[in-house]
Amino acid sequence: MKPLNNELVVYIDGKYYPKSEAKISVFDHGLLYGDGVFEGIREYNGVVFKLKEHIDRLYRSAHVLTLKIPLTKDEMLSAVVETLRKNKLKDSYIRLVVTRGLGDLGLDPRKCPKPSIIIITDTISLHATDAKDNGITTMFSWVRRNPVDATSHEIKSLNYLNSVLAKIEANANGVDEALCLESNGYIAEGVGENVFIVKKGELLTPPTSTGALAGITAEVVTQIAAKLKIKLTVTNLTPFMIFTADEAFFTGTAMEMVPIREVNKRQIGIGKPGPITKKMMTEFQKIIEDPSQGTKV
Ligand code: PMP
């Protein structure tokens, strides 16, 4: 199908559709049951940042769901690159989705013979333009992360209601972003971000055993910390620990690195981005601009 009015095209199961006509069936179990997996990926200046790492994570999530993706990882990588080429995008946000596919109204995945693959390439804006300079406000929401033996966010599945509920709470309170606690009360992550705090010059972040996603941005931050010789400890964080932290920040593909200046009306540190956060953000910017960190389109 030809794109209308220079519309972006969306890949669905090997074909390209104009954005306004890119649709899947109402019988897809991705819609009916949230049965599917996804990735959010960024392209910087014609290079897809950590594309291989995102594809690996997509296949890991699918493996846990016993969802057999009908493309090899190499084919998936080529499909992403081809979609970006068709759309002539240089700086974009890529949403890669694999759904269980068409089934009947029962939830049994065995009724869905063919998973569907969707590749959307577009742009995203998650926060106000001054968020990186001034930091954002956050709050703990009432909704706990699912325990690790439930639909844990370690799987990047289409079940994001847990995060959506937390976001609704932040919206209702006029706060930029929500922080999610796990079932024991330790900090897990944001709604779509990992969280780090700085205390006495050292970094601390929660383990994925809180049910948090193993973030690719968080992994980059771990490497930056090693390079800058800043000690990083993965440990359970209590709400008290973030309230009394010197600095705190979120990491995520969509949000990148964003300082947290407030949690439930408590000022964090000096109430604006601290020296370690700022230093790490500068390094982060260098890494995302480094073409060796991704896949050229
Ligand atoms: N946690 C959750 C629940 C997420 O959805 C995301 C976004 N993928 C993250 C953390 C951050 O992960 P990444 O840095 O890989 O984008």
Side-chain angles (χ1 to χ4, degrees), residues 106-146:
L107 64 74
D108 190 344
R110 289 176 302 185
K111 302 279 183 63
C112 308
K114 194 176 158 291
S116 265
I117 299 171
I118 301 163
I119 306 170
I120 308 168
T121 59
D122 211 322
T123 52
I124 195 170
S125 162
L126 277 199
H127 46 70
T129 45
D130 69 342
K132 285 186 181 158
D133 296 330
N134 298 333
I136 59 171
T137 57
T138 67
M139 64 175 287
F140 292 114
S141 91
W142 59 268
V143 56
R144 298 290 179 107
R145 274 295 191 241
N146 291 327

Side-chain angles (χ1 to χ4, degrees), residues 161-172:
L161 198 52
N162 189 284
S163 284
V164 172
L165 283 171
K167 184 72 187 172
I168 287 169
E169 202 60 15
N171 292 347

Side-chain angles (χ1 to χ4, degrees), residues 9-17 22-25 28 30-31 37-39 41 58 69-71 76 79-80 83 94-101 115-121 158:
V9 291
V10 177
Y11 170 109
I12 306 177
D13 296 329
K15 294 200 184 103
Y16 293 91
Y17 301 86
K23 292 172 184 153
I24 58 156
S25 167
D28 192 302
L31 172 71
V37 293
F38 78 102
E39 280 296 318
I41 314 168
L58 181 80
I69 301 178
L71 289 185
M76 184 65 88
V80 171
T83 309
I94 302 147
R95 176 56 57 91
L96 194 48
V97 185
V98 184
T99 72
R100 185 72 68 179
S116 265
I117 299 171
I118 301 163
I119 306 170
I120 308 168
T121 59
L158 297 180

Side-chain angles (χ1 to χ4, degrees), residues 40 54 57 145 153 156 160 163 189-194 213-218 251-253:
H54 281 282
R57 189 170 67 188
R145 274 295 191 241
H153 271 70
K156 201 159 167 56
Y160 259 55
S163 284
E189 55 181 350
V191 297
E193 304 82 26
N194 294 108
L213 183 74
I216 290 166
T217 320
T251 66
T253 297

